[in-house]
């Protein structure tokens, strides 16, 4: 992935399924979701995706990207869409690490905004 593709890559993590995750995250990645899901690590992330509905659309606002050596941190507000409506709004951050010439997701966190 080229550095200018981080936002497209991030969008794919919202829209795509387990195969995309397998190819684009480190094996021991950590994802922090609101309860009841909570914190998932590595294989737990893939297992949770197997039967989970994916978002049909996601829109990012207030985007920021910080680069430091072999790491990149994205921070943003996301609106997740299903059935033509924005039904989920969250503050998010994701960290990517460069390994073997590839940028891979190592950490993702979501904090819901509103009800």
């Amino acid at each position: 992935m080229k550095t200018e593709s981080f936002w497209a890559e991030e969008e794919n993590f919202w829209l795509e399924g387990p195969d995309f995750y397998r190819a684009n995250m480190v094996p021991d990645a950590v994802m922090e979701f609101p309860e009841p899901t909570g914190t998932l690590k590595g294989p737990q992330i893939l297992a949770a995706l197997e039967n989970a509905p994916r978002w049909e659309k996601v829109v990012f606002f207030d985007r920021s990207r910080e680069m430091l050596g072999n790491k990149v941190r994205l921070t943003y507000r996301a609106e997740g869409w299903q059935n033509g409506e924005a039904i989920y709004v969250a503050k998010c951050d994701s960290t990517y690490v460069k390994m073997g010439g590839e940028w891979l997701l190592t950490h993702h966190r979501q904090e819901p905004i509103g009800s």
Side-chain angles (χ1 to χ4, degrees), residues 5-47:
S5 302
F6 281 111
W7 293 108
E9 189 83 352
E10 189 72 8
E11 182 177 321
N12 284 330
F13 275 105
W14 284 76
L15 304 176
E16 300 295 331
D19 290 340
F20 178 83
Y21 279 67
R22 248 183 236 97
N24 293 285
M25 72 177 196
V26 297
D28 60 349
V30 174
M31 294 193 168
E32 299 174 59
F33 296 101
E35 293 300 332
T37 304
T39 300
L40 301 175
K41 297 178 184 175
Q44 294 173 321
I45 296 167
L46 300 173

Side-chain angles (χ1 to χ4, degrees), residues 11-92:
E11 182 177 321
N12 284 330
F13 275 105
W14 284 76
L15 304 176
E16 300 295 331
D19 290 340
F20 178 83
Y21 279 67
R22 248 183 236 97
N24 293 285
M25 72 177 196
V26 297
D28 60 349
V30 174
M31 294 193 168
E32 299 174 59
F33 296 101
E35 293 300 332
T37 304
T39 300
L40 301 175
K41 297 178 184 175
Q44 294 173 321
I45 296 167
L46 300 173
L49 285 167
E50 285 299 332
N51 297 309
R54 304 307 301 146
W55 297 103
E56 65 188 37
K57 175 181 170 183
V58 65
V59 180
F60 299 149
F61 299 93
D62 305 325
R63 301 181 332 173
S64 174
R65 183 179 80 186
E66 302 169 68
M67 295 193 77
L68 181 61
N70 71 335
K71 292 186 180 174
V72 172
R73 182 173 180 235
L74 304 179
T75 56
Y76 58 97
R77 181 172 58 88
E79 290 184 2
W81 293 64
Q82 288 182 335
N83 300 319
E85 294 183 50
I87 61 166
Y88 180 69
V89 181
K91 287 175 25 179
C92 304

